Amino acid sequence: MKLSLNSSTIKPTPLLEKIKVAGTAGYTGIELWAVEIYEHVGRGGEVSEIEAALSDHGLSVPAFIAVRSWGDTSGLEYRVAIEEARRRFEQAARIGAPLVICTPPVEKPGIETLHENYRDLLQIGREPGVQAVLEYIRFFKSLN
């Protein structure tokens, strides 16, 4: 069995330190959050530093978290959400994550379009070779 650390469980530790902690603790993987990578780059860091840290500590990234706003928007907002999803899928592929967690809307969106929007995510993931995974969250009304 391989154990992975969800990096959100050790907030607010800086991303490179989280990777070091996970490797030192004996984990074989770490689930990374897109927002943490964006924050790292926003503070002047490079994605290549993240890739090097993962390699140095022998960690894989089994899942990349998360794509949001894909199930409860339409029109221009939906197109913006899909473009952000595309960037996140590409980022996941770059760091070697085979899965991208796609969280459903918190509220009930109108189930008639949810499957179509999820289909779009599946298609986006095919290009970089990353699978969209619908995460069921019990207290989200959209899938309850």
Side-chain angles (χ1 to χ4, degrees):
M1 179 168 62
K2 296 180 179 180
L3 296 177
S4 296
L5 177 70
N6 183 326
S7 63
S8 72
T9 61
I10 54 174
K11 282 184 178 180
T13 307
L15 181 56
L16 296 180
E17 185 67 21
K18 287 179 181 186
I19 292 169
K20 180 181 175 184
V21 166
T24 302
Y27 287 97
T28 58
I30 184 168
E31 291 183 317
L32 296 181
W33 285 68
V35 67
E36 291 181 317
I37 292 175
Y38 288 165
E39 288 170 356
H40 177 76
V41 171
R43 291 185 180 118
E46 299 286 337
V47 175
S48 61
E49 294 171 321
I50 298 167
E51 293 170 312
L54 290 167
S55 178
D56 290 348
H57 296 287
L59 295 172
S60 65
V61 181
F64 189 72
I65 306 169
V67 171
R68 297 190 171 123
S69 301
W70 59 272
D72 56 352
T73 57
S74 60
L76 178 59
E77 286 183 41
Y78 180 70
R79 289 193 302 274
V80 169
I82 287 299
E83 285 309 309
E84 179 58 26
R86 191 176 313 282
R87 283 188 290 277
R88 291 181 183 210
F89 275 86
E90 290 167 359
Q91 190 71 259
R94 179 171 177 181
I95 61 172
L99 307 174
V100 171
I101 306 301
C102 302
T103 56
V106 175
E107 299 296 324
K108 189 173 180 107
I111 202 75
E112 65 277 351
T113 61
L114 195 61
H115 69 287
E116 294 169 357
N117 296 2
Y118 184 61
R119 180 191 61 218
D120 291 345
L121 294 177
L122 292 170
Q123 184 60 40
I124 289 169
R126 284 188 182 107
E127 280 182 41
V130 178
Q131 176 72 44
V133 177
L134 177 63
E135 181 178 34
Y136 172 77
I137 301 174
R138 184 182 62 83
F139 56 86
F140 279 24
K141 294 177 184 174
S142 64
L143 295 179
N144 190 324

